[in-house]
Amino acid sequence: MELRLRKNLILPALIVGCLSGAAWTLPQRPDGNAPQEYRARREALAEALRQELAPGDSGALVLDAAPESESSYRQESNLYYLTGTEIPDSSLVLLFDRPASGAAKKGPAAPGRYAEFFYLPGRDFRQERWTGPRPGAGGLVKETLQPDDERREAMRRTGFERIPEGDFPPRRYPRGPVESRADFASHLARFLADAQVFFHLVAPGRPGAPLTADLAFVKEIREEFPLLTLKDPAPALARMRAVKSPAELQLLRRAIEITCQAQRDALKQARSGMAEFEVQALVEYRFTSEGARRPGYPSIVGSGPNSCILHYDASAGTLREGDLLLMDVGAEYGRYTADVTRTIPVSGRFSEEQRKIYDIVLKAQKAAIAAIRPGVPFSDIDKTARRVIEEAGYGPYFIHGTSHFLGLDVHDAGDTSAALQAGMVLTVEPGIYLPEKQIGIRIEDDVLVTRRGAEVLSDCAPREPGAVEMQRLEGLKSATR
């Protein structure tokens, strides 16, 4: 059965023009076992989804890459988490089953079967003169049915090196593990004909709006396979991504260290009369010079009234004496992003009222961090910080949540209705905003949940008001020498 539609395949086959493209490389990882870690994640996801199958049933998961972009390419985060690749328009397929009850009469229960396939887009050698070389799926040597040189190179570079063996997948399935995207539709029809459950991420559409490519694809699947159950793999992926591995923590620590350096640069070099975009340039220069590929999100650099705008990213104002300067910034390193906010006095010292508000926000943050430990509900962090600010009489001026998960995305995957676990990384960012007084203060740190409590990863940027003023004044004095 041939699927007529396929999201991403409804785009023109040839993208004309000088696009930026994406180099197809494995990610920047300090560990030497990245392919093994990604493979372990794929197998762990299959095991988690296997528990959602009825005994004797089979499941299939499909994850798609982000399409080609004219700007700097950034892979879809779930696919990156499972493959570590930055290849536009690629797709991952996982096949797995759950043994029928009583399949093994003696000894341990029979293990579930598993196979994986990675589909690569076709090569366009003329386009590669503009965008650089891309991986090709290659093929099989006719005499041996073994991968040819091009496929072996793609297998090595993507980390999909295990050729399926045994009776699963069956012989009517492709050889794999790397295949051509041109064959994806016919292969998927084969996979789904044997499956009972199809796992696929689908962003909800808007009522009355045209169907997105995702929803059009799901609609076709429902029509072609009416007995197939569709399930969302997002909860299982979120549970996995929320707890960071040692390799992930190493990347996060480096991203946060770079961000702290950038915050210290701005603390010492920002001046009255300087444009906000100049401060942003100082920050992002440090990101790049330290090896961070880009900001993890649009930098927020707001002074005076702009410090009260939560997601202000225009950087169009000018620093003035007596103003506060709020900088909410994060470097992205090896695809993992930091998220650190500091609020500093442009003149070098907080006014009496600014210092009062700052102390309340800092007290709320410290209380929230002290509450962090395994087993504590995620919601308790916000409740703790909010209680401090409400008791100080500023409850209506704390207008956002206190925490979110951090990782591949600045608002990373995770279950905020669950309890904290060791290995989770989250932000703690209370704030008070008084627009009528042009006082906006937010203090944000990145915190690792440990077995015994919490570790503040972003302590490398000063947050105690005395330390902020001291370093700020030292920077101002050095400019006059």
Side-chain angles (χ1 to χ4, degrees):
M1 185 181 297
E2 195 71 23
L3 295 180
R4 295 181 300 277
L5 296 175
R6 177 68 185 129
K7 63 174 181 172
N8 299 337
L9 291 184
I10 60 176
L11 298 175
L14 176 63
I15 302 175
V16 181
C18 183
L19 301 181
S20 64
W24 69 284
T25 60
L26 288 175
Q28 182 182 11
R29 298 289 297 248
D31 63 279
N33 300 308
Q36 290 83 351
E37 179 162 341
Y38 293 124
R39 185 181 304 121
R41 292 176 188 172
R42 296 192 292 271
E43 292 174 355
L45 176 60
E47 180 59 32
L49 298 180
R50 180 177 284 127
Q51 306 311 310
E52 300 186 33
L53 302 177
D57 280 358
S58 297
L61 168 119
V62 172
L63 287 180
D64 294 303
E68 181 65 277
S69 170
E70 293 189 13
S71 59
S72 176
Y73 184 75
R74 194 176 194 274
Q75 183 60 280
E76 195 278 327
S77 293
N78 289 301
L79 187 66
Y80 187 91
Y81 178 76
L82 296 172
T83 69
T85 60
E86 295 275 9
I87 306 172
D89 300 319
S90 55
S91 288
L92 171 68
V93 176
L94 303 184
L95 305 177
F96 44 91
D97 66 1
R98 184 174 183 179
S101 300
K105 296 181 179 179
K106 296 181 179 179
R113 297 180 297 180
Y114 169 82
E116 58 184 23
F117 299 90
F118 194 45
Y119 287 82
L120 302 178
R123 298 187 68 179
D124 182 334
F125 293 100
R126 288 186 303 166
Q127 187 70 7
E128 287 180 14
R129 296 185 66 181
W130 296 86
T131 61
R134 299 289 180 88
L140 302 177
V141 178
K142 289 185 179 180
E143 293 76 12
T144 63
L145 295 182
Q146 293 299 307
D148 61 17
D149 290 343
E150 185 177 22
R151 177 167 292 188
R152 285 196 179 278
E153 178 64 8
M155 290 164 59
R156 183 185 71 82
R157 296 292 294 273
T158 62
F160 285 80
E161 297 188 78
R162 287 186 180 175
I163 299 175
E165 297 177 353
D167 62 348
F168 191 80
R171 291 183 180 274
R172 64 181 179 276
Y173 283 11
R175 180 67 169 162
V178 171
E179 293 286 341
S180 170
R181 187 59 184 269
D183 297 321
F184 181 87
S186 60
H187 289 181
L188 183 61
R190 223 175 298 173
F191 299 150
L192 297 186
D194 291 344
Q196 286 73 45
V197 181
F198 178 47
F199 295 89
H200 187 60
L201 293 170
V202 180
R206 291 180 298 155
L211 287 182
T212 63
D214 269 332
L215 292 173
F217 172 59
V218 168
K219 180 176 181 290
E220 181 183 355
I221 292 295
R222 289 188 182 281
E223 292 171 351
E224 297 285 358
F225 302 95
L227 300 181
L228 191 67
T229 298
L230 271 65
K231 287 194 173 186
D232 185 3
L237 278 162
R239 288 191 294 271
M240 290 178 60
R241 285 177 55 184
V243 178
K244 303 308 191 266
S245 70
E248 290 181 289
L249 289 176
Q250 191 171 352
L251 291 168
L252 271 169
R253 287 180 185 276
R254 180 57 181 149
I256 293 166
E257 179 185 28
I258 293 170
T259 304
C260 286
Q261 290 177 320
Q263 286 279 8
R264 294 196 301 267
D265 288 347
L267 176 63
K268 295 178 180 179
Q269 298 178 45
R271 298 287 182 269
S272 176
M274 185 179 285
E276 291 169 347
F277 64 77
E278 293 180 87
V279 179
Q280 179 179 340
L282 283 172
V283 167
E284 295 180 3
Y285 171 77
R286 174 62 73 174
F287 290 176
T288 305
S289 64
E290 294 294 333
R293 183 174 176 182
R294 57 195 160 202
Y297 55 93
S299 297
I300 299 169
V301 179
S303 61
N306 298 328
S307 67
C308 300
I309 303 173
L310 299 187
H311 286 174
Y312 173 78
D313 61 3
S315 298
T318 301
L319 279 61
R320 306 295 184 194
E321 291 290 331
D323 282 351
L324 291 172
L325 172 62
L326 187 152
M327 298 171 290
D328 183 340
V329 297
E332 181 184 294
Y333 181 83
R335 268 301 305 262
Y336 286 76
T337 185
D339 186 3
V340 180
T341 304
R342 292 293 185 264
T343 306
I344 67 173
V346 173
S347 61
R349 292 193 185 278
F350 294 105
S351 71
E352 182 177 349
E353 187 171 19
Q354 290 170 350
R355 176 64 180 264
K356 173 188 172 184
I357 303 299
Y358 191 99
D359 286 342
I360 295 169
V361 173
L362 184 58
K363 181 180 178 182
Q365 191 202 38
K366 288 181 176 179
I369 292 171
I372 293 174
R373 60 185 180 278
V376 169
F378 185 95
S379 58
D380 278 12
I381 307 169
D382 183 72
K383 290 177 183 177
T384 302
R386 201 164 295 278
R387 187 180 306 118
V388 173
I389 292 176
E390 288 174 349
E391 289 174 354
Y394 290 91
Y397 305 101
F398 181 14
I399 56 177
H400 57 77
T402 302
S403 297
H404 57 78
F405 291 108
L406 191 65
L408 283 170
D409 297 307
V410 65
H411 286 260
D412 207 37
D415 184 359
T416 57
S417 67
L420 299 177
Q421 300 178 53
M424 290 179 170
V425 178
L426 50 124
T427 65
V428 181
E429 49 176 311
I432 294 175
Y433 309 90
L434 305 171
E436 68 281 1
K437 296 185 177 182
Q438 300 190 9
I439 295 177
I441 295 175
R442 181 164 66 252
I443 307 171
E444 178 180 22
D445 281 283
D446 303 336
V447 180
L448 169 66
V449 183
T450 68
R451 288 182 296 174
R452 297 183 179 181
E455 177 188 353
V456 180
L457 302 177
S458 48
D459 256 350
C460 41
R463 59 186 171 128
E464 292 292 337
V468 170
E469 288 182 333
M470 182 181 69
Q471 293 195 30
R472 180 82 183 117
L473 289 169
E474 286 179 355
L476 291 172
K477 288 178 182 178
S478 67
T480 62
R481 293 171 186 166

